[in-house]
Amino acid sequence: MSSIAARTREFLTRRASELRQTVRVTIAVGAAYAAYKSLGLQQGYWAVFTVIIVMQGSIGGTLGAATERMIGTLAGAVVGGLAAAFHSNTSLGIGIALVLVTGATVWGAAVRPQLRVAPVTAAIMLLTEPAGAPVEQFVLDRIIEIGLGGLIGVLAMVLIFPARSHAVVVTRSVAVLTRIQKLLLSEADALERGEALVPSTEHPALRQALTAVEQALKDADRERASRLADHRIPQAIPRTLWRVRNDLVAIGGVLRTPLPAQIASTLAPAAARLLRAHAELTERCATALNAVVIVSRNDVSAAHLAFTETFTGLRQSGAMRALDFNAVGRVFGLAFTLDGLHRDLTNLADRIDEIATGIPERTPDF
């Protein structure tokens, strides 16, 4: 029994986010059903559909989805309602109206992505119009149903296990930092082995994860603008993470070919130590962001200084004079990018410190 209880607790802890979302959506669906039945809406099931569609993993995400659905519904209902009012009540007339309305609303959605629901709403208006029903009442009912579903979805997110987008931003940023750390360690390993860096499958996943951070921060800003929640995450966080990712790509490009043997024995160990120091800093950034504490810098500056001195010594010794033009370019490119990586990771740690200390966001240096 104790083993079953332990596994149950572990499951509940591991799947807490998914279980909370399940409870929210389930309750909201029940509320939408009860609401449309109480109001006597003939096609109130659209309120239920809307709840299921708009409820995202956070308040900001749900608010954004509900707002976009409402805007698209208004546009589609108006266009579809006008077409329903003026087409002939024949199969050919409905077909022509449907084609024209679809073309107009799809074009609008291509120009304004928040109107992507408009074509669906317009088509529904034409294809489900009850015979003899006043068009204006039919349009109004659809707007009420969609608006009701959106409102219930947002209220459910706010009132039932409130899911602030701030926590989503932090979770996704930590996931990004974990991927960055893996890439840094793989580059350090390649330098230490003296082998070419094998292209990593982490990069496509890292791009997707960074996009997810940006979306979560937009949701958090939407919550703050609507005064449903607040956050202290600087806009510089995702921008700096993107710059770090670009640094990793540039370093990876240099390491696709091993460093020239004449300088690898001297430069590669110093570069690998700096990359490992950066990987440790990345891990500490993730820990500090999650715990809302100041980032421990430890010996990162010392590793950066050691690499800089090693590179400067090689330049002054004349060891690079024997290299061809491309090899010299790669060595200087590695030094330049490692310096940029150090600057960007330090900047990221500074922004995380601002969250912990409550200092307002400043304009980042580019």
Side-chain angles (χ1 to χ4, degrees):
M1 291 297 292
S2 60
S3 176
I4 295 175
R7 285 199 296 268
T8 301
R9 283 195 299 272
E10 187 274 334
F11 173 79
L12 293 175
T13 301
R14 179 165 48 88
R15 295 297 185 185
S17 177
E18 292 87 347
L19 290 170
R20 285 195 292 269
Q21 181 69 352
T22 301
V23 172
R24 292 187 203 104
V25 176
T26 302
I27 294 175
V29 165
Y33 177 78
Y36 95 71
K37 284 295 185 180
S38 299
L39 293 173
L41 298 172
Q42 294 300 311
Q43 292 183 313
Y45 48 79
W46 288 109
V48 175
F49 295 163
T50 300
V51 164
I52 297 172
I53 291 169
V54 305
M55 289 192 71
Q56 308 295 310
S58 67
I59 295 172
T62 300
L63 183 61
T67 301
E68 288 191 1
R69 184 161 175 79
M70 194 64 209
I71 292 172
T73 296
L74 284 170
V78 170
V79 174
L82 289 173
F86 293 106
H87 73 70
S88 60
N89 290 318
T90 63
S91 297
L92 179 61
I94 294 174
I96 293 173
L98 178 63
V99 169
L100 293 176
V101 163
T102 300
T105 51
V106 167
W107 182 85
V111 175
R112 300 288 183 186
Q114 62 266 39
L115 296 177
R116 57 179 174 268
V117 179
V120 178
T121 304
I124 290 171
M125 296 294 299
L126 283 169
L127 298 177
T128 65
E129 177 191 3
V135 172
E136 61 275 12
Q137 185 61 48
F138 189 57
V139 170
L140 181 61
D141 285 349
R142 298 299 77 72
I143 294 173
I144 291 173
E145 291 154 6
I146 302 298
L148 178 64
L151 177 62
I152 290 173
V154 172
L155 288 175
M157 290 301 302
V158 173
L159 299 175
I160 306 170
F161 304 124
R164 311 290 190 230
S165 293
H166 174 277
V168 179
V169 177
V170 171
T171 299
R172 292 180 180 179
S173 297
V174 169
V176 166
L177 289 167
T178 300
R179 293 187 182 278
I180 288 173
Q181 183 187 21
K182 290 179 181 178
L183 288 167
L184 287 167
L185 292 174
S186 67
E187 292 175 347
D189 289 341
L191 280 166
E192 291 171 345
R193 292 193 305 267
E195 299 174 357
L197 179 68
V198 177
S200 174
T201 57
E202 284 287 327
H203 281 289
L206 178 58
R207 287 196 301 271
Q208 294 177 357
L210 282 164
T211 301
V213 171
E214 290 179 320
Q215 182 58 55
L217 189 54
K218 288 179 182 177
D219 293 340
D221 289 338
R222 188 179 292 112
E223 288 178 12
R224 182 165 59 185
S226 62
R227 300 187 179 181
L228 293 174
D230 199 4
H231 73 88
R232 296 200 310 268
I233 300 177
Q235 295 290 333
I237 292 286
R239 290 197 295 265
T240 307
L241 288 172
W242 272 111
R243 290 203 300 274
V244 171
R245 179 260 170 190
N246 293 338
D247 294 334
L248 290 171
V249 171
I251 294 170
V254 172
L255 299 183
R256 291 287 186 272
T257 303
L259 291 176
Q262 301 95 310
I263 62 169
S265 60
T266 303
L267 189 63
R273 284 193 295 271
L274 180 56
L275 285 170
R276 291 195 180 280
H278 285 154
E280 292 176 7
L281 177 60
T282 300
E283 184 178 15
R284 291 195 293 273
C285 282
T287 301
L289 182 61
N290 200 39
V292 196
V293 296
I294 292 176
V295 181
S296 171
R297 303 304 200 273
N298 286 6
D299 58 349
V300 175
S301 295
H304 179 251
L305 179 60
F307 173 79
T308 302
E309 290 176 345
T310 301
F311 179 69
T312 302
L314 281 171
R315 291 179 60 190
Q316 293 174 347
S317 69
M320 287 190 283
R321 293 174 185 169
L323 303 179
D324 61 36
F325 180 79
N326 288 333
V328 171
R330 289 177 51 246
V331 172
F332 273 85
L334 177 63
F336 176 80
T337 310
L338 282 174
D339 187 63
L341 175 65
H342 179 73
R343 183 174 56 253
D344 290 334
L345 281 174
T346 301
N347 182 279
L348 177 65
D350 290 341
R351 303 291 76 73
I352 294 173
D353 288 350
E354 290 174 1
I355 298 173
T357 58
I359 298 174
E361 176 186 2
R362 67 173 180 83
T363 302
D365 297 325
F366 291 96

